Amino acid sequence: MPDTVAEIVDWLGLGQTLRGPELDVVVAEVIASVTRAFAADPTPIADAVDTARQLAQSGVRMAVASSSAAPFIDAALAAIGLEHAFPVRVSAVGLPHGKPDPLVYQLPLDR
């Protein structure tokens, strides 16, 4: 199963037939659909959530550097109650290259 927006669009066969604004609408709907599905039934790793909360309460500054779209990052953090623990969030969507390109990791450090 594809896991990036570009892969999903290609998997659906839409990358060849849609361009410009039409493709943008489809991409936005894919992101919104995946975001809604996750927010409705998140599956957090309890120990990871607890650790993040403890670190945030201790004053450790944390950030998210993700290949996921920004709306998904925001919704995922809100769904598991960590929206305040990660004030800096960077999505590789829209960057010239996704992970493992270092830019998605460097941008949070610069903020």
Side-chain angles (χ1 to χ4, degrees):
M1 183 71 182
D3 67 329
T4 68
V5 173
E7 289 174 342
I8 292 169
V9 169
D10 286 344
W11 182 70
L12 292 171
L14 299 174
Q16 302 300 319
T17 59
L18 298 177
R19 295 280 183 248
E22 290 178 324
L23 182 57
D24 292 343
V25 168
V26 170
V27 167
E29 184 52 38
V30 167
I31 292 169
S33 178
V34 170
T35 299
R36 283 190 304 270
F38 179 85
D41 189 24
T43 52
I45 300 169
D47 288 344
V49 172
D50 291 342
T51 299
R53 283 193 181 117
Q54 290 172 8
L55 290 169
Q57 289 170 356
S58 297
V60 175
R61 294 181 62 213
M62 296 184 292
V64 172
S66 177
S67 294
S68 295
F72 180 84
I73 297 167
D74 295 342
L77 290 173
I80 61 174
L82 290 177
E83 62 270 32
H84 300 295
F86 294 90
V88 176
R89 304 164 194 171
V90 174
S91 167
V93 174
L95 295 179
H97 304 284
K99 289 180 175 181
D101 186 81
L103 182 59
V104 72
Y105 302 105
Q106 184 62 48
L107 289 173
L109 293 172
D110 294 342
R111 294 185 182 174

